[in-house]
Amino acid sequence: MCTLRRFILVFFILLTAARGYAQDFGWNVYFHGFADNREYAKSGRYSQSILGIRIAPEVSLSLDSIHFLHAGANFLHEFGSKGTTAEQLTPTIYYNYKQAGHDFYIGMFPRKDVLNDYPRALLNDTLSYYRPNVEGMLWRYAGNRFHQQGGVGWGGEVWATCGQSFPSTGGD
């Protein structure tokens, strides 16, 4: 719980300091409820019901017309659990650059905003439930006849046996 208090304190200090320099201040609240019943009977797979809600408030500061800073948090509550713990809090802090078809993200940014064009079969179906943010960087370009996207995400933890994992995303 002490970590949560520190996170909230640092968040509001940064928000207050950045507010004085920003040209525009915005906010958004994302709500995602999920009910996923996985009763597989004779398939041999693990049967379960996944029920919960995710609330993600976010503030944004535009430094000018092309540079944006975003900060917020994702709160997950699974129905049937004893309560929401600090492990179910996911910070969202990222920089976004937008100009002339280029869109660049770096930090911990919402997955729903940048990977929504991918076929669902390529992504894990519970990814949006338990890993709502991409941690890394992503660049997109969209022109009149051309669209490309690429990025690197630090998707794992440091393990003594296998080092770090850096999955990458391609474009179309």
Side-chain angles (χ1 to χ4, degrees):
M1 192 62 170
C2 188
T3 305
L4 179 60
R5 287 183 186 157
R6 285 184 190 155
F7 173 76
I8 291 172
L9 178 65
V10 169
F11 174 74
F12 282 112
I13 289 171
L14 290 173
L15 177 64
T16 304
R19 176 69 175 123
Y21 298 104
Q23 291 184 352
D24 193 20
F25 176 80
W27 63 276
N28 186 27
V29 177
Y30 173 70
F31 175 82
H32 179 225
F34 52 92
D36 192 349
N37 189 20
R38 297 164 176 235
E39 302 297 330
Y40 296 119
K42 298 179 182 181
S43 70
R45 297 176 69 190
Y46 179 67
S47 294
Q48 61 183 336
S49 294
I50 304 172
L51 304 162
I53 59 169
R54 178 172 295 285
I55 299 172
E58 184 178 298
V59 294
S60 62
L61 305 168
S62 65
L63 304 176
D64 53 28
S65 63
I66 59 174
H67 301 280
F68 303 91
L69 296 174
H70 299 259
N74 276 284
F75 299 96
L76 170 67
H77 177 74
E78 291 184 276
F79 299 127
S81 66
K82 296 188 187 228
T84 303
T85 63
E87 291 82 29
Q88 293 169 310
L89 170 72
T90 306
T92 302
I93 302 171
Y94 63 100
Y95 165 78
N96 180 220
Y97 170 86
K98 291 183 181 185
Q99 184 178 24
H102 295 275
D103 199 1
F104 176 75
Y105 294 83
I106 188 166
M108 295 177 283
F109 48 92
R111 185 180 307 276
K112 67 176 179 55
D113 295 338
V114 296
L115 298 179
N116 52 4
D117 293 338
Y118 279 77
R120 188 174 165 117
L122 293 179
L123 301 174
N124 185 343
D125 57 351
T126 59
L127 210 52
S128 64
Y129 306 159
Y130 299 111
R131 296 193 53 203
N133 289 346
V134 174
E135 298 176 18
M137 63 181 153
L138 180 122
W139 167 79
R140 290 196 284 198
Y141 176 78
N144 292 335
R145 295 181 165 191
F146 178 75
H147 174 274
Q148 185 66 39
Q149 175 171 311
V152 176
W154 182 57
E157 298 179 19
V158 178
W159 296 92
T161 57
C162 66
Q164 299 175 347
S165 67
F166 292 90
S168 62
T169 60
D172 51 78

